[in-house]
Amino acid sequence: IQEVRSGRPLHLCQRPHAHGCSSVYTLVAQQTHKAAAMAQVMVQSSAALAPTRVSLQKPASRTVAVAPRVCNGKAARQMMVWSPVGNKFFETFSYLPPLSENEIAKQVDYIVNNGFIPSLEFAEAEQAYAGTEITRLSQPGYYDNRYWTMWKLPMFGCSDPSQVLNEITQCTKAFPNAYIRLVAFDNVRQVQCAGFLVHRPAGVKDFLPTDKRSV
């Protein structure tokens, strides 16, 4: 039987005899094939009846982000809107009333004491605002009124604030109907670090009092 299972030929006898050796060979082979088939069925049944592994781990919960509810209905009552009509601003300190001479002197002291380079610029009222039109025959990206006219040269190495105040007075006398601003440059960082008006033309109506700038 072992030889039949292994696939080797079964030699119960060298040749068939009259006493029925061939019939014995056939009987043994049939029984062997039946035993092998039953063993295969038992193996398949055992595999089918094997317990299935069930994971007892709790599935990860899925977090869904919910946007917070936004409501500013009550806060809207406390908001104000900047009025764009006749209410133009000029750089730093535009949200404040026009600076007094004493306040301008303090700003000049700050600029000089920090080693910045002061410079004065001026422009007539109708040319004080940058326009959207591009001047023909000019450099690429140049817009009218973006740059104001410089008063003399920047005051390099100035260490006396009174010199700056004196130049402001002279520029105001020469161009009383122009806007005049003081700018300051940082020669280390190579940037402009200050810029504010020191004179407004008399009678201009392009800005409003601080209590009427917002509605």
Side-chain angles (χ1 to χ4, degrees):
I1 295 175
Q2 293 296 331
E3 292 180 351
V4 173
R5 289 181 177 177
S6 62
R8 290 178 292 182
L10 180 65
H11 300 284
L12 296 179
C13 57
Q14 297 295 330
R15 57 183 179 179
H17 294 281
H19 54 76
C21 180
S22 59
S23 61
V24 173
Y25 170 82
T26 302
L27 179 61
V28 172
Q30 291 178 352
Q31 295 296 328
T32 302
H33 286 301
K34 289 182 179 181
M38 291 180 63
Q40 184 67 21
V41 172
M42 292 178 64
V43 171
Q44 294 178 355
S45 300
S46 299
L49 296 176
T52 303
R53 179 177 296 178
V54 180
S55 177
L56 299 179
Q57 184 178 2
K58 184 179 180 181
S61 58
R62 185 176 180 182
T63 303
V64 180
V66 179
R69 183 174 179 269
V70 178
C71 179
N72 63 349
K74 296 181 179 180
R77 300 178 181 178
Q78 303 175 357
M79 298 179 184
M80 301 187 72
V81 180
W82 171 73
S83 176
V85 180
N87 192 22
K88 296 182 179 180
F89 285 11
F90 288 89
E91 304 180 9
T92 312
F93 306 132
S94 292
Y95 59 92
L96 297 175
L99 299 179
S100 64
E101 293 184 359
N102 186 33
E103 292 170 339
I104 294 175
K106 291 181 179 180
Q107 295 300 324
V108 172
D109 289 341
Y110 176 83
I111 292 173
V112 174
N113 293 336
N114 282 274
F116 301 143
I117 301 172
S119 179
L120 289 175
E121 299 176 347
F122 64 95
E124 297 293 330
E126 62 274 7
Q127 298 178 350
Y129 302 99
T132 57
E133 67 280 358
I134 301 178
T135 303
R136 295 181 180 180
L137 303 178
S138 62
Q139 299 178 358
Y142 173 83
Y143 293 85
D144 281 346
N145 307 333
R146 172 178 291 182
Y147 303 102
W148 291 6
T149 305
M150 182 180 296
W151 171 263
K152 300 182 180 179
L153 292 176
M155 289 173 259
F156 301 101
C158 178
S159 57
D160 186 0
S162 62
Q163 296 177 358
V164 180
L165 297 175
N166 184 40
E167 293 299 325
I168 293 176
T169 301
Q170 292 185 22
C171 185
T172 302
K173 290 180 180 180
F175 300 97
N177 296 324
Y179 283 97
I180 302 175
R181 67 184 175 190
L182 174 64
V183 296
F185 300 94
D186 187 338
N187 62 339
V188 176
R189 293 180 292 177
Q190 298 292 308
V191 295
Q192 177 180 324
C193 55
F196 57 94
L197 290 180
V198 295
H199 175 73
R200 295 175 184 264
V204 292
K205 300 179 180 180
D206 54 1
F207 71 98
L208 298 175
T210 54
D211 58 342
K212 296 182 179 180
R213 292 179 178 179
S214 298
V215 295

